[in-house]
Amino acid sequence: MGERVSGDVSFREPLERVAEVLTSIEAYPSWNEGILDVIIDAYDTEGRVQKATFLIDIKLTQLRYTLTYRYDVAMVSWELVDADLLSQFDGEYRLSHADGITTVRYTIDVDVAMALPRVMKRRAAETLIAQTLTGLQTRCQPA
């Protein structure tokens, strides 16, 4: 059984600016320290990434996985297509904007293809959420 984990981060930036960072999937390695490489496998008719393969560092080894993407006005979501050790990695970035503040809620449903205690799965998912939101916050802060 997988783990569902969420986290939020807020910026004093326009929603459009934050959405631009989140939809520039090929640039993820520049702000998310766990992502070593992203290979774009396909684009949709609007030039957005439709399918991408990631190589990430999970401390003890490297992990490869492929995701397909969907876009909405204030949301980027994905589903796992293929992976080395993951059996589930679906999620979304959901954006909202009020009073000059853009908030991103990052939610993932994640599971591994091996027996691990639930607490270890949850801790790994929470670490991934925190690392990603910290990198996103750094990337979106005004220079």
Side-chain angles (χ1 to χ4, degrees):
M1 180 164 131
E3 291 296 318
R4 174 170 269 220
V5 180
S6 294
D8 299 296
V9 66
S10 297
F11 315 94
R12 198 168 280 287
E13 289 288 321
L15 185 140
E16 295 78 15
R17 161 88 172 102
V18 177
E20 180 182 321
V21 170
L22 292 174
T23 57
S24 297
I25 294 162
E26 58 280 346
Y28 281 16
S30 71
W31 59 265
N32 190 324
E33 71 180 54
I35 298 176
L36 301 174
D37 194 18
V38 177
I39 299 163
I40 306 305
D41 300 313
Y43 291 93
D44 66 14
T45 57
E46 296 181 40
R48 301 172 300 194
V49 172
Q50 182 178 32
K51 185 177 178 184
T53 299
F54 292 78
L55 181 64
I56 64 168
D57 178 11
I58 56 171
K59 303 299 179 214
L60 300 176
T61 189
Q62 294 179 354
L63 175 69
R64 183 202 49 80
Y65 59 88
T66 301
L67 306 175
T68 57
Y69 285 88
R70 289 185 319 274
Y71 302 88
D72 203 338
V73 174
M75 183 177 68
V76 176
S77 63
W78 60 89
E79 292 180 359
L80 182 68
V81 174
D82 183 45
D84 293 336
L85 299 173
L86 296 173
S87 58
Q88 181 181 21
F89 189 62
D90 306 324
E92 69 181 22
Y93 294 113
R94 186 172 297 273
L95 289 80
S96 60
H97 189 82
D99 300 322
I101 305 291
T102 298
T103 300
V104 176
R105 173 163 276 270
Y106 177 27
T107 303
I108 55 173
D109 293 307
V110 64
D111 203 358
V112 293
M114 67 177 85
L116 281 178
R118 187 169 185 224
V119 68
M120 288 181 70
K121 290 187 225 179
R122 183 157 194 86
R123 187 171 301 133
E126 288 170 346
T127 299
L128 175 62
I129 292 274
Q131 180 178 326
T132 299
L133 292 177
T134 297
L136 180 61
Q137 188 168 33
T138 301
R139 176 70 172 183
C140 290
Q141 289 176 342

